[in-house]
Amino acid sequence: MTQTETDIEGTLLDEALIVSFAELTRLCGTNGRAVKLMVAEGLLRPQGCQPDDWRFSGDEIRRARLAVRLQHDLDLNLAGTALALDLLDELDRLRTRLQALELLAEQRRR
């Protein structure tokens, strides 16, 4: 990866971006143990079998960074972080569904 952490800060992360285990730890400002615990807890789902082989997508980077921020800012443990991320994911799904339903209702009114 040629981008620095500062470059990533201002870049929209997409699914096409793939980083290694070491790159993810740098991007999140955390250590390898914390990332391994997130994987063990199911917060992150890397491609590959072992940490040296793990690859993380842009969505996983976003999720890992959010998890680190939640743990730091709200002093959450790993289980609390997992719950918070699940709830935020559900909120995103519901918002998307609501937008689709509102669009459908608008089209039917025409």
Side-chain angles (χ1 to χ4, degrees), residues 21-65:
F21 173 70
E23 290 167 332
L24 181 70
T25 61
R26 283 193 302 275
L27 289 171
C28 293
T30 192
N31 58 50
R33 181 178 181 275
V35 172
K36 288 177 184 177
L37 289 172
M38 284 189 249
V39 170
E41 186 69 27
L43 287 163
L44 301 176
R45 295 172 197 88
Q47 300 167 1
C49 297
Q50 299 295 323
D52 289 339
D53 300 327
W54 284 349
R55 297 294 176 260
F56 298 88
S57 68
D59 189 49
E60 294 294 309
I61 297 167
R62 181 199 57 79
R63 190 170 174 82
R65 290 176 63 134

Side-chain angles (χ1 to χ4, degrees), residues 46-94:
Q47 300 167 1
C49 297
Q50 299 295 323
D52 289 339
D53 300 327
W54 284 349
R55 297 294 176 260
F56 298 88
S57 68
D59 189 49
E60 294 294 309
I61 297 167
R62 181 199 57 79
R63 190 170 174 82
R65 290 176 63 134
L66 180 55
V68 169
R69 199 166 59 243
L70 286 170
Q71 288 175 329
H72 179 264
D73 293 351
L74 301 178
D75 197 28
L76 294 178
N77 63 17
L78 204 52
T81 302
L83 176 61
L85 287 174
D86 286 347
L87 291 171
L88 289 170
D89 287 345
E90 182 65 17
L91 184 59
D92 283 342
R93 281 190 295 276
L94 290 171

